[in-house]
Amino acid sequence: MSKRLKSSGAQGRKRRKEEEEIREKDRDGAEVLAATVKALKDGLVVAVPTDTIYGLACLAQHRDAIKKVYDIKGRNGQKPLAICVGEIQEIYKYCEVKVKEELLADLLPGPVTLVFERSEVLNKDLNPFTPLVGVRIPDHGFLRRLCQMCEEPLALTSANISSQTSTVAVHEFQDLWPRLALVVDDGPIGDQNRLGSTVVDLSVLGKYRVIRPGCAFTSTVDLLQRKYGLCEDTTED
């Protein structure tokens, strides 16, 4: 969508130039989205910005693409990948949700990954070793639009070699570029503490369990306890 600016004279010429720049940026954004969607639909892996750190993404329903993500990262095959969707209603398609929709709306979009039991619709080759799956809706316009255009969930993980530091700029994972179909550069992003999203298991009715504190730990736990009355699940795995 282009933003129109109106004026006249020298100021008008300046604003017309600004308008042209905005339109060019809009065109560039649309082209980047289209190219990213095509790469994903072709079963490839791309690097994308999120609201916390840079991530690697592929189609969650694509078996071979999932394998590529593990290969690129050198990731332990027993470590799960989260999925990313564009709207809250899509969570119900891929997860068995046991909390109020209001709770989802309070946390998402945002830097939180919520873990639920997976539904039968989700690709069985994604995390076949667990009945659970983490789901994200990042507070990032590009990534949400990307999910909407793909019309299916993305598998999402951090853009780095496993066990290495999370990345907040594309040059920090430059060694991965040759193995990626596309790198979307949104400049330095996210919280510079590099903590990534807060991961919370909500698969047990009335309870929560923090899997990873992440960057939104305090506000998330406070919301779950104070507003929704959830109790911490201290059961050992």
Side-chain angles (χ1 to χ4, degrees):
M1 180 183 297
S2 296
K3 180 180 179 182
R4 289 194 164 274
L5 303 171
K6 298 179 180 180
S7 190
S8 59
Q11 186 67 20
R13 287 192 294 273
K14 178 181 178 182
R15 294 207 171 180
R16 282 193 294 273
K17 182 178 180 182
E18 291 174 348
E19 181 178 351
E20 291 173 1
E21 291 174 349
I22 290 171
R23 287 175 174 168
E24 184 64 34
K25 188 176 294 185
D26 287 343
R27 284 194 294 271
D28 290 347
E31 290 173 1
V32 171
L33 268 170
T36 308
V37 170
K38 183 180 185 306
L40 290 168
K41 293 286 189 181
D42 286 342
L44 303 175
V45 180
V46 301
V48 292
T50 76
D51 53 351
T52 54
I53 56 179
Y54 273 89
L56 299 184
C58 73
L59 293 185
Q61 302 294 75
H62 197 294
R63 178 181 182 181
D64 292 338
I66 295 295
K67 291 181 179 178
K68 289 176 185 175
V69 170
Y70 279 92
D71 288 343
I72 290 170
K73 283 182 63 75
R75 187 176 178 85
N76 183 328
Q78 295 299 304
K79 293 186 68 175
L81 299 178
I83 63 171
C84 175
V85 297
E87 302 293 341
I88 285 177
Q89 287 305 314
E90 295 177 57
I91 296 176
Y92 292 88
K93 182 177 181 180
Y94 302 102
C95 303
E96 303 294 337
V97 180
K98 297 180 179 178
V99 297
K100 295 180 179 179
E101 184 172 344
E102 183 184 0
L103 186 156
L104 301 183
D106 277 342
L107 293 175
L108 304 171
V112 180
T113 300
L114 302 180
V115 178
F116 299 105
E117 290 185 13
R118 58 194 290 151
S119 75
E120 293 296 322
V121 176
L122 193 61
N123 178 12
K124 291 179 173 56
D125 292 312
L126 177 74
N127 312 334
F129 45 84
T130 175
L132 306 178
V133 67
V135 60
R136 282 210 68 194
I137 305 180
D139 190 11
H140 193 285
F142 175 86
L143 194 50
R144 291 189 66 190
R145 182 63 180 144
L146 182 63
C147 290
Q148 292 161 359
M149 291 178 67
C150 286
E151 300 182 319
E152 58 182 297
L154 305 181
L156 187 66
T157 185
S158 56
N160 59 328
I161 298 294
S162 284
S163 79
Q164 293 187 2
T165 304
S166 298
T167 58
V168 294
V170 296
H171 69 85
E172 295 180 343
F173 59 93
Q174 194 166 350
D175 52 335
L176 299 183
W177 290 6
R179 306 189 67 184
L180 304 174
L182 189 146
V183 174
V184 180
D185 185 0
D186 195 32
I189 61 165
D191 191 331
Q192 297 299 306
N193 61 25
R194 304 171 187 264
L195 291 179
S197 66
T198 295
V199 183
V200 184
D201 184 345
L202 297 177
S203 64
V204 177
L205 185 64
K207 296 185 177 182
Y208 75 90
R209 181 167 64 91
V210 176
I211 297 174
R212 183 176 71 192
C215 63
F217 171 75
T218 301
S219 60
T220 300
V221 169
D222 185 67
L223 180 81
L224 296 176
Q225 292 180 343
R226 292 179 180 272
K227 183 172 183 178
Y228 294 100
L230 300 189
C231 300
E232 184 176 8
D233 186 353
T234 57
T235 304
E236 294 293 333
D237 293 337

